[in-house]
Amino acid sequence: MQLFAVNGSLSEVECDVLIVNLFQSDTKPQGATGAVDEALSGLVSRIIAEDNFKAKVGDTAVIRTNNAIPAKKIVLVGLGKRETFGLTEIMHASAAAIRACQTLKAKRVATILHGAGQAGFTAYECARATALGAMLGAYEYKKYKMEDDEDCNEILVNIVELSREKIEEIEQGIARAKVVADAVILARDLANEPSNVATPSYLANVARQVASKTEIACQVFDREEIEEQNMGLLLAVSKGSSQEPRFIEMHYEAPSSERKVAIIGKGVTYDTGGYDLKTKAGLYGSHDDMSGAAAVIACMQALAVLEPSVSVLALVPCVENALGSRAMHPGDIYMSREGKSVEINNTDAEGRLILADAISYAREHGATEIIDLATLTGAAITALGRDIAGLFTTSDEMAAKISEAGKYTGENYWRLPLFDDYEDTLKSDVADMKNHGSGEGAAIVAALFIRKFTGGLPWAHLDLTGSIIRKNSPLCRKGCTGVGTGALIEYIMSL
Ligand code: BES
Ligand code: ZN
Ligand code: ZN
């Protein structure tokens, strides 16, 4: 998709489809949509009345202009209620409108700047949300649809604005959205790849490629080097697989900052569960158990362009949790990098194991705070559903800033408790700890397991399990969502 800011009038712009908008309960369009309605002698108002157009967020109606204005067709999109209008609504409306344009096979689209003059939003904020919504909404994963040659990205979108002074701000908003959208789309592409393609070494190559075009440093440890690094828990998970593990390290150095944020992504490229084997339903789709890894690698691609003011250490332990004669057994005991022993009482609780070794590595390499992103527990889905990801943190500031960051990219986070008493369920008779509790409160217990390795550093854990894949959500029509990527970028840029 190509996006530009264009100075001009919506009623005069030439395009296949013109996108305008409407608030719920407005019977007569106002602002720029009102001007288009006037140019069409009230056609838009008539359609609203005749079709009983409700204008809920993302509702769309197609209107033919019969050459009354240069635009051939109009897509009218709903913005919902004025009282609840925000950046999310701009993104959702923009995404729905672009999808309607795709259905119409439009190649040249002109759009109103959604939200301009509403709720105190600047032209920059509106442009950023309009552009991000359009790019994420248009995305579809079709790499292996060999017979489908339609390119959903072959579309030119002009954001048309009457006032010349706003054009530069709109351009800046588009530029920022593009960097974020490219990263989210990279994360989606990676998470959507099947496990026979996206192996640990594949992810390592992508990380190298991302870094090679930038100032970001990248090094990858292979199995021998992981052994040298004493990452006993990462090695334990990798034992059952013929796919070699990889440990990816990427580093962005800010010129003058004491602060080094470690971002760590769970890179399980396929999770069979091991001897604690998953069900048929659980196995299908478990290639996306590296969604945290994808978000972290993709985030680094964006940070290389945006140049945050803090240093960032990205760590991605990559491994396949397979089943075979070499696989770890329930009851096995392994040593973590930190020297703590862990009894494996559930081989399907593998994510926390690889994260633990990566967290110890981060601490030893100067991290001043840690964020991990992981598809860690089904319990997070039970607790929060699909539209909200779990956020555990030892820092109130991180809680506030990460939740806020998500608002810019259409992600929702809800803080869950690190309830100390539940840590007792991780006590082992034979080792320093077990990797799995009673099964109750499993998202919390998983977070408490990880906390044991953070050494008291400010830390946040995002349990993304519910939000990684969607059938038809406003910003993701099908497949992996790239969740975590946007919030991570915006959080780091807010520091
Ligand atoms: N990758 C899974 C979590 C998951 C569950 C992802 C469902 C996508 C859909 C993780 O490794 C896992 O298996 N977690 C276990 C933890 C349990 C053993 C405490 C789970 O949630 O069942
Ligand atoms: Zn598992
Ligand atoms: Zn897993």
Side-chain angles (χ1 to χ4, degrees):
M1 176 181 296
Q2 283 187 294
L3 270 150
F4 297 101
V6 170
N7 182 214
S9 146
L10 287 169
S11 331
E12 287 162 19
V13 69
E14 266 189 51
C15 55
D16 300 331
V17 176
L18 173 65
I19 298 170
V20 292
N21 60 31
L22 187 77
F23 276 105
Q24 208 166 318
S25 76
D26 281 7
T27 46
K28 194 148 177 52
Q30 300 178 11
T33 306
V36 172
D37 189 35
E38 266 172 40
L40 289 169
S41 317
L43 177 63
V44 179
S45 302
R46 281 204 301 283
I47 300 281
I48 293 166
E50 283 165 18
D51 291 4
N52 197 13
F53 185 74
K54 291 274 188 293
K56 289 194 182 135
V57 188
D59 279 357
T60 55
V62 179
I63 304 169
R64 288 182 181 281
T65 61
N66 292 328
N67 297 327
I69 58 170
K72 295 193 184 72
K73 285 174 193 160
I74 287 179
V75 163
L76 175 66
V77 66
L79 297 179
K81 294 185 182 136
R82 276 179 205 277
E83 307 86 87
T84 47
F85 185 70
L87 293 175
T88 310
E89 285 68 28
I90 298 180
M91 287 187 273
H92 288 188
S94 184
I98 286 294
R99 282 193 217 171
C101 293
Q102 289 177 314
T103 307
L104 295 168
K105 308 216 181 302
K107 294 294 167 211
R108 286 178 319 150
V109 171
T111 179
I112 193 170
L113 183 60
H114 297 297
Q118 300 294 332
F121 291 128
T122 62
Y124 170 80
E125 288 171 316
C126 295
R128 184 170 154 186
T130 300
L132 188 58
M135 287 185 274
L136 296 182
Y139 173 86
E140 209 176 337
Y141 181 67
K142 297 212 284 195
K143 187 173 167 190
Y144 298 102
K145 287 268 190 191
M146 306 324 247
E147 287 168 6
D148 181 348
D149 53 10
E150 223 172 275
D151 184 354
C152 56
N153 267 319
E154 219 180 272
I155 188 163
L156 168 76
V157 180
N158 286 324
I159 299 182
V160 180
E161 168 57 48
L162 202 53
S163 127
R164 186 179 292 275
E165 307 90 74
K166 288 190 187 154
I167 293 297
E168 200 180 320
E169 257 189 76
I170 296 173
E171 278 169 348
Q172 286 165 355
I174 293 173
R176 174 61 168 266
K178 196 168 173 343
V179 176
V180 175
D182 283 349
V184 175
I185 285 169
L186 170 62
R188 287 181 180 182
D189 281 343
L190 289 175
N192 277 319
E193 280 289 353
S195 69
N196 58 317
V197 177
T199 59
S201 55
Y202 178 93
L203 291 181
N205 286 339
V206 172
R208 284 195 192 98
Q209 250 172 38
V210 165
S212 71
K213 296 173 254 167
T214 69
E215 296 289 303
I216 286 174
C218 176
Q219 66 169 336
V220 175
F221 296 152
D222 62 15
R223 184 187 292 275
E224 261 175 37
E225 289 158 323
I226 293 170
E227 275 165 12
E228 280 163 23
Q229 290 291 333
N230 291 320
M231 295 181 176
L233 300 182
L234 173 55
L235 287 166
V237 179
S238 82
K239 283 178 66 182
S241 175
S242 58
Q243 289 295 339
E244 293 281 304
R246 293 286 185 270
F247 184 83
I248 306 167
E249 174 176 0
M250 300 169 89
H251 190 204
Y252 163 83
E253 195 162 342
S256 54
S257 174
E258 302 284 293
R259 201 159 170 178
K260 192 193 269 192
V261 183
I263 54 176
I264 302 178
K266 171 178 171 181
V268 173
T269 59
Y270 196 78
D271 186 7
T272 67
Y275 277 100
D276 288 296
L277 187 62
K278 289 193 179 295
T279 60
K280 264 186 206 167
L283 283 169
Y284 186 76
S286 89
H287 64 83
D288 58 19
D289 208 14
M290 35 56 74
S291 292
V296 165
I297 295 169
C299 173
M300 291 309 272
Q301 172 182 283
L303 296 183
V305 181
L306 298 176
E307 300 185 337
S309 57
V310 294
S311 295
V312 181
L313 177 66
L315 302 175
V316 188
C318 296
V319 73
E320 191 179 74
N321 187 23
L323 188 55
S325 63
R326 291 205 172 90
M328 58 181 177
H329 302 148
D332 282 358
I333 299 172
Y334 295 97
M335 294 301 290
S336 64
R337 174 180 169 91
E338 200 180 304
K340 291 175 176 153
S341 62
V342 179
E343 179 193 0
I344 309 298
N345 61 333
N346 193 317
T347 60
D348 198 10
E350 83 297 339
R352 62 199 74 182
L353 299 173
I354 69 173
L355 291 173
D357 276 347
I359 286 171
S360 305
Y361 185 94
R363 280 170 52 205
E364 287 166 46
H365 288 78
T368 54
E369 68 190 274
I370 298 172
I371 307 175
D372 75 75
L373 291 84
T375 42
L376 214 61
T377 64
I381 314 180
T382 310
L384 298 170
R386 300 266 168 199
D387 286 335
I388 309 167
L391 164 62
F392 295 88
T393 178
T394 52
S395 152
D396 292 345
E397 193 189 334
M398 286 173 98
K401 286 194 165 164
I402 292 171
S403 298
E404 179 67 20
K407 293 188 182 145
Y408 289 97
T409 60
E411 297 170 33
N412 303 311
Y413 293 92
W414 198 265
R415 193 173 183 181
L416 295 172
L418 287 159
F419 187 62
D420 293 324
D421 291 2
Y422 288 177
E423 226 182 281
D424 288 349
T425 63
L426 291 170
K427 281 191 176 143
S428 163
D429 292 336
V430 284
D432 293 333
M433 68 191 86
K434 299 189 288 196
N435 72 328
H436 172 50
S438 65
E440 291 179 347
I444 298 173
V445 175
L448 291 170
F449 178 93
I450 297 171
R451 189 180 67 174
K452 286 172 175 289
F453 296 84
T454 56
L457 278 184
W459 157 75
H461 158 61
L462 310 186
D463 193 332
L464 304 175
T465 310
S467 311
I468 52 165
I469 186 160
R470 300 309 306 270
K471 285 210 181 74
N472 190 12
S473 75
L475 293 177
C476 182
R477 55 150 66 96
K478 203 194 296 175
C480 295
T481 58
V483 65
T485 313
L488 202 51
I489 297 168
E490 297 299 347
Y491 169 70
I492 291 168
M493 292 310 295
S494 77
L495 301 177

